[in-house]
Amino acid sequence: MENPSDNTKEALNLDRSVGDFKFAEDYAYDAGVGLTPEVIKYISKVKEEDEWITDFRLKALETFEKMPLPTHWASKRLEELDFSKIRYYLAKGAKKKRSWDEVPDDVKRTFEKLGVPEQERAFLAGVEAQFDSESAYSNMKEYLEKDGVIFVDSTEGLKKYPEIFRKYFGKVIPTSDNKFSALNSAVFSGGSFIYVPKGVKVQQPLQAYFRINAENFGQFERTLIIADEGAELMYMEGCTAPRFETGTLHSAVVELVALKGAKIQYVTVQNWSDNVFNLVTKRGLAEEGAQIRWVDCNIGSGITMKYPAVVLKGKQAKGEVISIALANNKQHQDTGAKMIHLADETSSNVLSKSVSIGDGRASYRGLVYMPENVSNCKNNTECDALLINSNSRTDTYPAVICAGHNNSVQHEASVSKLSEEQIFYMRQRGLPEADAVSLSVNGFVNDLVKEFPMEYSVELKRLIELQMEGAVG
């Protein structure tokens, strides 16, 4: 799938400081603090949902309460989360706007600071902007509506397109998949619902912005994207939150469905503040000849657990994960990929690069699964890590199950330290140390940065430069 055209002028500003602001809280709907059946019923009532959705939420709450926290490294950090002190639903109460001029002033100022209107005018085919629990603004080019493309938030998708939405909702990622997918299923709000009809190729990206403004808050968007046979699209999301003294939870669920011959590319650049627990479940289902590609950059948050997956269900389906993770002081980026080969002649590719700065820790956690009943499947996995300081840390946890006939798996991992000789060489030629380090790191991730759309790749390099300030010495 092609990146947006080279005439893109505007770029999303990914500077951490740009997102570090907030406005006074003024909400018409507030479910209060804590997670109870009454909170679930409140959310469902405010959203005017059908009875089956309320029942779905309540059953998900029961599942959440029965499931334990993950037992690997993150368990100790996750124990800092007190689910009884989180606010699960906050909304302004105003109806979602189609015109930017009609958006409430405080919400408008927030997204203007993040560059939403400029992005829309510059190159996007459609924009969805979510403020805390609900979408505040949504717009899509008229020509896409004429082609039958649907791009709305999850609430509108459930109400207006139940025959499409309900068919796939919760099918790629079941409620019981993990504790946080169960939590999302109980309290989900916002997110995107996209349907691209047969043979329609969306030439420009569709984009969503997710903004957390409130303290002690959890954002739980639910995204479902369906590309019908032969359809193509690129979806991009950006995420920010101000810096609070208390923890903030972001726990999204993203389900992709690529039917026969379809192509979906999903691009994420997260720039959460370091008080955010970013616990996300993302998975795509690829039918015969379909392609799903995750392009993922994790820079913000205090802790991230995210492993984009592709279930290769149809013959000759393809899956790919391209990921970059930067773990600065007091950050742990636990990211990776899962490739599940369930049909013959399927192929997958995983390219992962991480940079650990200060006492930051980056981990790759991957799974490649090829059962006995599939044949002629291929996987390539490459994990490269760069350590900036002596106390930086990186880990790789690959799990490979390869059975069947004529299947092949290739896994390569490397760890390197920042070259003192290289830094010395550049400093001798007049570069300050911070600039020399930034240049080295950008060189390390450059081949993957090129995989991001142009409007992101330039800003990623700038953001890396900001992350490198004070990283040495």
Side-chain angles (χ1 to χ4, degrees):
M1 189 179 298
E2 297 296 325
N3 286 342
S5 60
D6 289 349
N7 61 4
T8 298
K9 301 294 184 183
E10 305 290 339
L12 176 65
N13 195 333
L14 300 175
D15 184 346
R16 169 66 258 148
S17 62
V18 171
D20 197 12
F21 64 91
K22 69 185 292 288
F23 292 105
E25 297 178 21
D26 179 21
Y27 298 101
Y29 299 104
D30 184 345
V33 178
L35 186 58
T36 64
E38 287 68 33
V39 168
I40 302 301
K41 292 175 184 177
Y42 177 88
I43 295 172
S44 201
K45 183 178 179 180
V46 168
K47 297 170 76 64
E48 299 178 346
E49 295 177 334
D50 292 339
E51 186 177 352
W52 76 266
I53 306 175
T54 307
D55 292 340
F56 175 88
R57 291 180 181 276
L58 290 170
K59 290 177 182 177
L61 176 61
E62 293 177 3
T63 302
F64 166 77
E65 291 174 338
K66 293 175 183 177
M67 298 186 74
L69 287 168
T71 55
H72 58 73
W73 66 266
S75 59
K76 291 183 179 180
R77 292 287 302 273
L78 294 184
E79 288 172 1
E80 298 173 19
L81 280 173
D82 188 341
F83 296 103
S84 67
K85 294 183 179 180
I86 293 173
R87 293 186 285 179
Y88 291 89
Y89 185 83
L90 295 171
K92 293 284 184 179
K95 290 185 177 180
K96 182 173 58 177
K97 307 302 182 183
R98 302 293 181 183
S99 168
W100 189 253
D101 293 334
E102 298 175 358
V103 174
D105 286 342
D106 56 346
V107 178
K108 186 190 299 183
R109 290 197 304 271
T110 296
F111 284 108
E112 283 176 345
K113 275 178 167 286
L114 299 173
V116 174
E118 293 84 354
Q119 288 289 292
E120 180 183 17
R121 289 193 292 268
F123 70 97
L124 297 176
V127 174
E128 191 85 24
Q130 180 169 332
F131 189 88
D132 288 335
S133 291
E134 294 289 3
S135 175
Y137 171 75
S138 179
N139 197 17
M140 185 173 67
K141 303 295 186 183
E142 289 184 4
Y143 75 89
L144 289 178
E145 293 184 10
K146 293 178 181 178
D147 288 338
V149 176
I150 299 170
F151 180 29
V152 296
D153 63 61
S154 62
T155 300
E156 191 172 346
L158 277 166
K159 290 180 179 179
K160 289 188 175 181
Y161 311 99
E163 70 285 352
I164 306 175
F165 196 105
R166 194 169 181 179
K167 181 178 180 181
Y168 296 101
F169 176 64
K171 301 300 190 296
V172 182
I173 300 175
T175 295
S176 59
D177 187 83
N178 62 77
K179 190 172 183 67
F180 294 99
S181 66
L183 177 61
N184 178 280
S185 297
V187 296
F188 72 91
S189 187
S192 298
F193 171 61
I194 298 173
Y195 171 75
V196 183
K198 288 184 180 181
V200 174
K201 295 177 173 56
V202 181
Q203 299 297 326
Q204 294 173 291
L206 302 174
Q207 180 144 358
Y209 296 82
F210 297 100
R211 171 69 179 177
I212 294 176
N213 184 67
E215 192 169 5
N216 289 327
F217 176 69
Q219 190 174 69
F220 307 95
E221 75 267 17
R222 185 92 184 202
T223 293
L224 173 61
I225 300 177
I226 304 159
D228 213 324
E229 294 184 9
E232 296 182 14
L233 80 150
M234 175 190 287
Y235 176 87
M236 306 192 301
E237 63 176 3
C239 315
T240 64
R243 178 70 173 89
F244 295 116
E245 294 304 316
T246 54
T248 301
L249 175 59
H250 174 250
S251 185
V253 166
V254 178
E255 298 177 291
L256 309 183
V257 179
L259 300 182
K260 185 177 179 180
K263 296 180 182 179
I264 299 176
Q265 185 167 199
Y266 194 108
V267 181
T268 301
V269 175
Q270 100 175 23
N271 193 23
W272 297 117
S273 57
D274 61 10
N275 61 300
V276 174
F277 288 77
N278 186 42
L279 312 171
V280 179
T281 307
K282 294 185 172 184
R283 189 174 304 151
L285 181 67
E287 297 285 0
E288 181 180 349
Q291 298 180 28
I292 292 179
R293 191 174 196 244
W294 300 95
V295 182
D296 206 41
C297 181
N298 300 287
I299 293 177
S301 84
I303 178 172
T304 289
M305 296 170 61
K306 187 199 296 184
Y307 323 101
V310 182
V311 179
L312 301 158
K313 185 180 178 182
K315 187 176 181 180
Q316 295 183 343
K318 295 181 180 179
E320 187 169 25
V321 174
I322 307 291
S323 69
I324 298 173
L326 269 73
N328 214 320
N329 285 311
K330 299 180 181 179
Q331 287 184 305
H332 192 154
Q333 303 283 4
D334 193 77
T335 60
K338 297 179 181 180
M339 293 296 179
I340 313 299
H341 294 252
L342 300 182
D344 296 342
E345 300 177 29
T346 50
S347 60
S348 60
N349 187 41
V350 178
L351 300 177
S352 172
K353 290 203 174 186
S354 66
V355 180
S356 300
I357 307 163
D359 61 5
R361 180 180 178 186
S363 303
Y364 172 83
R365 196 177 301 275
L367 169 66
V368 177
Y369 177 67
M370 296 178 184
E372 293 182 357
N373 62 323
V374 300
S375 60
N376 300 310
C377 299
K378 296 180 180 179
N379 165 265
N380 176 67
T381 300
E382 298 177 28
C383 305
D384 299 320
L386 179 64
L387 302 177
I388 301 298
N389 308 92
S390 58
N391 54 337
S392 304
R393 180 174 172 180
T394 185
D395 311 276
T396 302
Y397 305 103
V400 179
I401 300 173
C402 183
H405 175 68
N406 201 32
N407 296 324
S408 65
V409 175
Q410 177 176 304
H411 181 93
E412 176 185 332
S414 69
V415 179
S416 58
K417 290 187 177 181
L418 189 67
S419 170
E420 295 182 3
E421 292 80 5
Q422 187 180 59
I423 299 302
F424 177 79
Y425 177 85
M426 288 188 282
R427 292 192 66 187
Q428 288 297 102
R429 278 148 182 79
L431 277 180
E433 186 173 20
D435 291 349
V437 173
S438 175
L439 189 61
S440 296
V441 173
N442 270 308
F444 173 73
V445 299
N446 186 58
D447 55 335
L448 294 195
V449 170
K450 291 178 180 178
E451 300 292 336
F452 286 76
M454 179 186 298
E455 59 277 0
Y456 275 144
S457 62
V458 174
E459 291 299 329
L460 282 176
K461 291 181 180 179
R462 293 178 186 172
L463 186 56
I464 289 171
E465 291 173 3
L466 291 170
Q467 294 287 316
M468 291 306 108
E469 291 182 0
V472 293

